Amino acid sequence: MQLRVVPDQPWDVEADVLAIPIVGEPVFDGPLGELNRRTGGELAALAEFGELRAKPFTSSLAASGEVRAKRILTISVGPADHLDRETVLHFGAAAEHRLGGRHARSLAVWLTPLADAIDGGLSTVAELVARGVVEGSFDPKTLYRDRDDVATAPPVLDELVLVIPGGDTAAVQNAAERGVIIGEGANHARSLSNRSANDVSPEVLAEEARSVARDHDLWIDVIEPDRARELGMGMFLAVGKGSDNPPRMIVLRSGGEGERDALDRHLAIVGKGVCFDSGGISIKPADRMEEMKMDKIGACTVIAAIGTVARLAPGTPLLAVAPAVENMPGSHSTRPGDVVRALNGKWVDITNTDAEGRLILGDAMTYAERLGATHIVDVATLTGAVSRAFGHLITGAFGTPQAWYDEVMSAADRAAERYWQIPLLDDYVPDMDSWYGDIQNSGAAEGSLIKSGLFLREFRTVPWAHLDIGGSGYFRKTTAWAPRGATGVTHATLVELALAGAKA
Ligand code: BES
Ligand code: MN
Ligand code: ZN
């Protein structure tokens, strides 16, 4: 996709479609008045008809009259005082998503009305809109289709034109290019995540990681079961051993020793890679079990994120660890009540084989520390409880110490992603006590979301944050800005965090 930033009036830009944001209830003066005049009053008529309501992401595709673009796409973004970075991101995505299946090869987006309301002005808006358009073009239906089918599908976007009032075009262009790269990284995570379990085994995920390593010249190590046994990764192996597809601990590293030594911080991003979560012997009910092919989103996200960081700032020190397993029932599986030794030496009583994410992540975090990580963020579809509590629009987050959590959240703000902090309540620690070992992996259901964090906390010694994307990681229904399936959430936060750390 070609990207152009043009200082121009929106009516003078040539494109198949001109997207315009409608902020609040539209008032037809200034440039919006001129657009309305050139459409022969079409926009005002739409408003009168109730088509331009202030409800975010309602849209309409109008004839353009004397506007040079062939069609005008209005997208409402809600009232000005609610306009935030996430809305701007979703505006871009909604514009392109709305055009899915239409014959539009070039899309122009008028940025001016958004720039005043957003800190960082035009450059920030350009970055978020460009990223949104790329993310909005993501189509999971191209994944498993025969070639002829794909060949007859409507064309994808060739050109994105960002229309600004004037100013430093080069700076806006740079920002938009950054947005495109971040959007492509999110889409990479999404397309890997959406692939089914008969397609993506732990070894195939490792193969995908190897191709990221080749593309960006990263160091990679894939630990197979024999070596994991020698190392003592008892929790990781306990989850993987029930499947014929053996587990893989995937480790990617960017930045050379020199770059690492120049920093006193080594960030590790750790992602849960359960290629299929049947629950194991503590088997899940059949209803919605098919969604558990998504249980690898965390791993896909960290693999994509280290690639994105390498594209934006080659040589940035970053460690990505993705424990990949299949959680299956069988005569080789771990039984409820089995006690195993974790890599950090703790004895863990596996009271529920369906609480497997925390087991593989625990060993992965210990291993990240062995490789020198001084700060950790993990991403995981860890609990169903987080989606019951927060739904799909917000990610549950934990962290300690608070200063590190706050730093992760300021990266989240830059990334235009929403999180909500869950307390690590020490009072519940005794609920995880085990009669037979040091700790059990699953206690009573009450407070289970908090307890999942308390368990993970035992397997790291450095500052750590945990992002539970059990709800936000994938959509069950298509929205105005994203199709059903993996959302790519947390990718941008991880990228911002890694880049900020490299400057610190
Ligand atoms: N992968 C699931 C969590 C999940 C469920 C994510 C549904 C998204 C949608 C995880 O491994 C799991 O099974 N968690 C259990 C934990 C329980 C056994 C303590 C859960 O949330 O029920
Ligand atoms: Mn599970
Ligand atoms: Zn799981």
Side-chain angles (χ1 to χ4, degrees):
M1 184 186 75
Q2 288 285 321
L3 184 65
R4 264 194 314 135
V5 175
V6 298
D8 214 340
Q9 297 296 354
W11 47 85
D12 284 333
V13 179
E14 208 155 336
D16 290 333
V17 175
L18 169 70
I20 60 176
I22 302 294
V23 184
E25 296 291 342
V27 179
F28 294 100
D29 57 10
L32 198 57
E34 178 64 15
L35 280 165
N36 181 47
R37 201 186 60 70
R38 286 174 180 253
T39 59
E42 172 77 6
L43 296 180
L46 277 172
E48 196 139 315
F49 192 59
E51 276 275 292
L52 303 187
R53 278 164 307 164
K55 189 163 170 277
F57 313 120
T58 51
S59 61
S60 73
L61 208 46
S64 63
E66 283 170 18
V67 173
R68 279 180 79 186
K70 292 186 194 130
R71 304 230 146 223
I72 292 180
L73 173 64
T74 67
I75 308 264
S76 297
V77 293
D81 54 350
H82 285 196
L83 198 59
D84 60 10
R85 301 159 71 94
E86 198 187 31
T87 310
V88 173
L89 173 69
H90 291 166
F91 157 77
E96 175 55 15
H97 192 57
R98 176 70 167 75
L99 294 176
R102 311 298 186 282
H103 290 262
R105 283 177 168 279
S106 61
L107 170 66
V109 185
W110 185 34
L111 299 186
T112 314
L114 301 172
D116 294 340
I118 297 294
D119 287 347
L122 272 176
S123 286
T124 300
V125 167
E127 176 177 334
L128 292 171
V129 167
R131 176 179 145 205
V133 167
V134 170
E135 292 181 10
S137 72
F138 181 74
D139 180 5
K141 289 199 161 179
T142 58
L143 194 53
Y144 300 112
R145 288 287 189 285
D146 287 330
R147 280 196 161 271
D148 329 349
D149 223 272
V150 173
T152 53
V156 289
L157 211 59
D158 288 336
E159 189 184 43
L160 173 62
V161 187
L162 299 177
V163 189
I164 62 172
D168 188 352
T169 313
V172 177
Q173 174 90 24
N174 280 337
E177 275 163 14
R178 187 177 192 273
V180 169
I181 289 172
I182 295 175
E184 287 172 351
N187 289 352
H188 177 206
R190 294 161 93 187
S191 59
L192 253 180
S193 302
N194 281 342
R195 283 166 64 183
S196 53
N198 61 324
D199 178 7
V200 178
S201 61
E203 171 54 23
V204 170
L205 204 55
E207 206 31 68
E208 292 292 332
R210 286 186 194 102
S211 101
V212 170
R214 272 192 301 274
D215 289 351
H216 304 291
D217 201 17
L218 310 178
W219 179 87
I220 182 163
D221 185 23
V222 176
I223 301 173
E224 304 200 350
D226 283 346
R227 193 143 65 91
R229 243 182 309 274
E230 276 164 37
L231 286 162
M233 296 177 165
M235 294 198 293
F236 169 67
L237 288 165
V239 179
K241 75 192 183 93
S243 172
D244 276 346
N245 294 320
R248 298 284 185 257
M249 181 70 78
I250 303 165
V251 185
L252 285 158
R253 180 166 238 176
S254 62
E257 235 168 275
E259 282 123 342
R260 274 200 294 281
D261 288 348
L263 294 175
D264 41 68
R265 163 177 302 179
H266 305 320
L267 174 65
I269 54 179
V270 179
K272 172 178 174 181
V274 178
C275 293
F276 189 74
D277 181 13
S278 69
I281 299 296
S282 313
I283 198 160
K284 288 181 179 296
D287 190 34
R288 288 189 166 155
M289 199 203 272
E290 80 281 6
E291 288 183 3
M292 286 301 110
K293 66 179 180 179
M294 295 279 184
D295 213 20
K296 61 185 179 302
I297 302 181
C300 300
T301 306
V302 302
I303 291 168
I306 197 170
T308 305
V309 170
R311 282 183 75 188
L312 287 170
T316 302
L318 183 62
L319 186 60
V321 185
V325 297
E326 246 179 34
N327 189 22
M328 297 293 279
S331 61
H332 297 288
S333 300
T334 290
R335 294 147 290 237
D338 284 0
V339 182
V340 300
R341 187 166 207 152
L343 181 58
N344 75 348
K346 289 194 177 159
W347 287 99
V348 178
D349 184 355
I350 303 180
T351 47
N352 187 326
T353 64
D354 198 13
E356 83 296 341
R358 59 196 75 179
L359 299 173
I360 64 172
L361 289 167
D363 278 348
M365 294 199 298
T366 304
Y367 194 65
E369 287 192 22
R370 295 232 174 128
L371 293 180
T374 63
H375 293 72
I376 297 176
V377 180
D378 81 83
V379 181
T381 44
L382 202 71
T383 67
V386 79
S387 73
R388 284 191 287 278
F390 296 129
H392 290 273
L393 299 182
I394 204 162
T395 301
F398 302 74
T400 181
Q402 189 64 30
W404 172 240
Y405 178 86
D406 293 343
E407 216 177 304
V408 177
M409 288 306 113
S410 63
D413 283 343
R414 293 193 295 282
E417 291 183 333
R418 266 192 290 181
Y419 296 82
W420 199 266
Q421 186 168 13
I422 302 150
L424 286 159
L425 198 65
D426 290 321
D427 309 50
Y428 293 160
V429 169
D431 293 6
M432 302 298 280
D433 281 352
S434 159
W435 185 263
Y436 302 98
D438 293 318
I439 187 172
Q440 59 172 313
N441 74 329
S442 158
E446 305 87 63
S448 66
L449 180 55
I450 292 176
K451 291 176 197 168
S452 70
L454 291 175
F455 181 90
L456 284 176
R457 194 178 66 173
E458 295 303 312
F459 297 91
R460 47 90 250 168
T461 63
V462 300
W464 152 81
H466 162 54
L467 311 177
D468 190 338
I469 55 169
S472 59
Y474 64 95
F475 285 166
R476 290 196 163 125
K477 288 186 300 205
T478 293
T479 65
W481 70 89
R484 177 181 163 156
T487 57
V489 73
T490 74
H491 169 269
T493 297
L494 298 177
V495 169
E496 293 293 350
L497 188 66
L499 294 175
K503 275 182 237 139

